[in-house]
Amino acid sequence: MTEFLRILLWRSITVIAVLLGVIGAVLPIMPTVPFLLVAAWAGGKGWPIIEQKLLAHPKYGPQILEWRRYGVVRRKPKVIAIVMMSGSAIMLSFSMAPLWIKFTVIGVMATVAVWLMTRPEHAPGKSE
């Protein structure tokens, strides 16, 4: 029974992440690749067929592989993510949320943005 629950958990995470990735492919305000990275990771633990399909995808497969092998985040997704986080931070700062929540959330987004900027944009030996 434990094995069944483990597989069910990984497959549930995979399905949710794929669905969020599909929504992100349609809606410009939501990312696609981060959710597909999670889906491939979870799929690798409980649904290898889905993982292989994601890795073989002509558009997103190479990005997933570059992330896994070299920690690469291409420039366009970086810029989009940072712009979206900046817009969210601005909207949050004008909201009625308590001050400690504003500082915490904006601090987390700033930390993620700095971390994201430090990721390489190309695999070693590759340039665009």
Side-chain angles (χ1 to χ4, degrees), residues 42-56:
K45 297 185 178 300
W47 210 345
I49 293 169
I50 297 298
E51 177 193 28
Q52 290 307 311
K53 286 186 183 218
L54 289 170
L55 295 176

Side-chain angles (χ1 to χ4, degrees), residues 30-80:
M30 211 167 139
T32 301
V33 175
F35 291 113
L36 295 182
L37 289 173
V38 170
W41 168 73
K45 297 185 178 300
W47 210 345
I49 293 169
I50 297 298
E51 177 193 28
Q52 290 307 311
K53 286 186 183 218
L54 289 170
L55 295 176
H57 191 277
K59 181 175 181 180
Y60 300 113
Q63 292 180 62
I64 295 169
L65 289 170
E66 285 180 345
W67 168 254
R68 282 185 171 182
R69 291 181 183 149
Y70 309 109
V72 168
V73 179
R74 294 181 183 171
R75 181 170 292 169
K76 185 178 176 184
K78 272 188 196 185
V79 170
I80 291 170

